Amino acid sequence: AVVSTQSTGSNVIAFVLGLVLGGIIMRVKDWHPKKLLLIYSVAVLLSTPFQASLFLRCDSNVVGGVDVTYPGSLGETQGEPSLYDTCNNNCNCNTAFPSFVCDETDGVTYFSQCHAGCTNGTLLNPADSQSPVKEYTECSCTSSGTVRPGQCGERCQTRLYISLALSVLGTMINFSGYAAHATVYQRCVNEVDRTVAQGWRQFITRVLGTLPAPLLFGFIIDNACTIWRVVGGQQGNCWVYDVDSLLVWFVWVQIVLRILSSALYFLGWYLYPEPTQEERERYEGRATEYEMKEKLSVS
């Protein structure tokens, strides 16, 4: 939860800083539409490599029955992931809610003490029957026979903060071109057509982006699920994902779409007519004209 909060807060700040930087760039001069297309294309392209920062992550947990066979054979994987085996078939386990436990001997995480085949447990405070469990023992599906509540896993704060810093920088660079992106649609058409142009822009954005994106990424996320919640024979939400597969697909789809977006804007820049002499004088001289009017009004 702390990591999620830090990531969200940092990227919101980066989003704001990117918009401010983009506004400053737009204030430098009154850019011609051709140059606005180039500005946004470069901003998207420069921010694309930062998507790979997601690969700087902690190693995934090894889940018993999914990544390794029971009991804890780290060198082998099952053909089809299954939480159930002969060591826990008589335990009546289910996947309604996870209660992860860790075998610290080999670093394997189990979906619950039931799936680990545990038949006994030790309380933190034996005198209190409501005390949390310290450890579970006599676990037939594990290599050591003993597990502790919680997931196995390493602490990797350094990689986490490096990844977060790169993500923030990429977000800021990407949104620094947003002002150019929002303005070019208004400047590449006649003034009387700007409302229609804005409407078409919103329509195409929704049809090609807003509508298919959740379907595409939802398909990728669902395909990476290894343990589904099953209650009464009905499949519910996902409890455990194949993080490696999810990350590869998630990052590369974003990179490909960003490169495609940048290429199309670059193509627009290449095909857009060069500004006429009148346009060049108007766009390059407008900032100076505004400054002169401000000086005259002050005096």
Side-chain angles (χ1 to χ4, degrees):
V2 174
V3 174
S4 178
T5 302
Q6 291 175 339
S7 177
T8 302
S10 300
N11 278 283
V12 167
I13 294 174
F15 166 74
V16 174
L17 291 176
L19 292 180
V20 171
L21 178 60
I24 293 174
I25 294 174
M26 294 300 294
R27 288 285 296 171
V28 170
K29 61 182 294 186
D30 215 2
W31 300 94
H32 185 269
K34 188 176 180 70
K35 291 184 177 179
L36 291 175
L37 290 167
L38 184 62
I39 289 173
Y40 187 66
S41 176
V42 170
V44 173
L45 190 62
L46 289 178
S47 67
T48 298
F50 290 94
Q51 297 300 309
S53 64
L54 293 175
F55 287 119
L56 292 172
R57 60 177 181 83
C58 300
D59 293 334
S60 304
N61 288 326
V62 176
V63 180
V66 176
D67 302 303
V68 297
T69 55
Y70 292 118
S73 302
L74 286 173
E76 303 175 14
T77 55
Q78 300 181 156
E80 191 70 29
S82 175
L83 294 176
Y84 304 99
D85 201 81
T86 54
C87 60
N88 60 24
N89 269 345
N90 298 323
C91 299
N92 295 320
C93 305
N94 62 66
T95 57
F97 295 99
S99 179
F100 295 110
V101 292
C102 171
D103 184 349
E104 296 178 345
T105 303
D106 52 21
V108 176
T109 297
Y110 296 87
F111 191 78
S112 70
Q113 63 273 19
C114 178
H115 292 89
C118 304
T119 58
N120 204 352
T122 303
L123 301 178
L124 285 173
N125 182 9
D128 182 7
S129 61
Q130 301 299 319
S131 173
V133 176
K134 179 181 180 181
E135 65 179 16
Y136 296 96
T137 57
E138 301 177 24
C139 305
S140 58
C141 292
T142 69
S143 57
S144 67
T146 302
V147 295
R148 293 181 179 273
Q151 300 184 55
C152 303
E154 60 170 332
R155 286 190 164 274
C156 50
Q157 295 294 322
T158 302
R159 274 184 285 175
L160 174 65
Y161 287 122
I162 292 176
S163 174
L164 185 60
L166 292 175
S167 175
V168 165
L169 185 57
T171 300
M172 187 173 70
I173 293 174
N174 182 56
F175 281 97
S176 66
Y178 188 79
H181 170 265
T183 306
V184 69
Y185 295 95
Q186 303 296 319
R187 294 192 178 173
C188 65
V189 297
N190 294 325
E191 188 171 350
V192 294
D193 297 325
R194 288 180 178 178
T195 303
V196 176
Q198 187 69 6
W200 274 107
R201 174 204 169 194
Q202 294 294 336
F203 172 75
I204 294 174
T205 300
R206 298 297 182 271
V207 171
L208 298 182
T210 306
L211 294 179
L215 299 177
L216 172 62
F217 285 102
F219 175 77
I220 292 173
I221 292 171
D222 286 346
N223 273 358
C225 183
T226 54
I227 300 179
W228 291 93
R229 180 186 184 187
V230 179
V231 179
Q234 298 296 317
Q235 181 176 292
N237 55 296
C238 184
W239 287 130
V240 179
Y241 291 95
D242 180 353
V243 179
D244 294 327
S245 173
L246 177 62
L247 196 59
V248 168
W249 277 101
F250 195 80
V251 170
W252 279 109
V253 166
Q254 288 195 77
I255 288 177
V256 169
L257 291 177
R258 284 173 175 270
I259 292 175
L260 177 61
S261 174
S262 178
L264 291 175
Y265 273 92
F266 185 80
L267 180 63
W269 166 81
Y270 180 77
L271 296 177
Y272 199 92
E274 290 290 338
T276 63
Q277 183 62 30
E278 180 183 351
E279 288 178 325
R280 199 183 301 275
E281 292 176 357
R282 176 159 60 93
Y283 281 106
E284 293 181 356
R286 185 174 294 180
T288 306
E289 180 183 340
Y290 289 157
E291 291 173 3
M292 292 294 294
K293 287 183 179 179
E294 289 181 358
K295 290 180 181 180
L296 290 173
S297 61
V298 171
S299 60

